[in-house]
Every structure is written in C-alpha cells, then in structure tokens.
Amino acid sequence: MTTAREIMTAGTECIGAEETVLLAAQKMATLGVGALPICGTDNKLKGMLTDRDIVVKVLGAGKDPAQTKAGELAQGEAVTIGADDDASEILRTMAEHKVRRLPVIDGHDLVGMVAQADVARALPDPQVGDLLEALSTD
C-alpha cells in the first residue's frame, strides 16, 4: 500500500506562531497554497492556518492581519499523519477529522503535506468516492 511519504509534497513551509497573518497570506500567495502549518519557536507543529481562517476569523472579525499572530488561530492539537502510514490510514484520518490536508510527521519533524488530491490519486476508484463523500458531507 502507498505511504504518506510516497504521495506527500515534501519541503512544506511553516508560518511561525509569532509571525503575522498578513505574512502568512503573502506566503500562501507566493507558494500557491491554501494552508500552512503553524510552527512554534520550538519547531513543533502548533496547528494549521487556512486561507478560510484568514478570511473568516481575521478579516470577517474586523481584526488587523498585520497585527494578528498566526499562533492566535491555532486550535488545539494539529491533526497529522505519520510518514509511513498508508493511504487507507490517511483516508480514515481525513474522513474522521473532516480535513482535506494533513501535515506529514516523521518522528517530531514536519516532512511534508498530503492533500485530498494526493490520496485520491493513490487509492482505487471506490475508495476515492468514499473520501470525497466523507469530506463533502456535514
């Protein structure tokens, strides 16, 4: 079975917990991504920041993105997947937590990101439908 390490996008960049949401938005634009892991000064994953978080929790709430720290938007423990976990475990984790992207961890190190599309390409057709259904329902 295909592992997270085999299908992930390596070289994932973080936004520091103390860096601003404005910087995160600029980084997302430059990288062409819709989410960034939030990393603390201890290099540990603190959460995920999405473009939707920026719009709803910062702009929609009238906050200044140049003054709001990325770490303020980290909610609880980040949902992750191990680098050697297989595609069916990735599918289960995404469906259970209703997330479309997962940071890939090797030990305590962030080594990449796996997205819904990565998993879809790695799974047999019936399981792809299951993934899409699980992530699309409320």
Side-chain angles (χ1 to χ4, degrees):
M1 180 66 83
T2 305
T3 65
R5 188 184 312 275
E6 294 170 315
I7 62 173
M8 71 182 188
T9 300
T12 300
E13 291 194 35
C14 283
I15 187 70
E18 296 302 315
E19 293 180 298
T20 68
V21 171
L22 178 60
L23 180 62
Q26 292 167 337
K27 196 177 245 192
M28 285 180 191
T30 300
L31 297 171
V33 298
L36 289 171
I38 302 170
C39 295
T41 54
D42 57 0
N43 263 349
K44 294 212 169 145
L45 191 64
K46 301 299 182 193
M48 289 289 292
L49 178 64
T50 67
D51 47 9
R52 186 174 195 287
D53 291 332
I54 294 170
V55 171
V56 173
K57 297 174 183 172
V58 179
L59 300 177
K63 295 180 181 177
D64 181 355
Q67 299 300 315
T68 306
K69 305 291 186 207
E72 293 174 36
L73 302 179
Q75 296 179 337
E77 192 171 323
V79 179
T80 63
I81 197 77
D84 296 318
D85 288 345
D86 66 34
S88 62
E89 178 65 14
I90 299 167
L91 169 67
R92 187 197 63 72
T93 302
M94 285 182 165
E96 179 181 328
H97 296 279
K98 300 268 190 203
V99 295
R100 290 176 167 80
R101 303 171 192 95
L102 288 169
V104 180
I105 305 295
D106 189 1
H108 293 289
D109 298 327
L110 176 67
V111 294
M113 186 76 71
V114 66
Q116 174 182 346
D118 300 324
V119 181
R121 282 190 293 271
L123 292 172
D125 288 344
Q127 284 185 301
V128 172
D130 293 343
L131 172 64
L132 296 176
E133 180 180 350
L135 294 178
S136 298
T137 58
D138 290 331

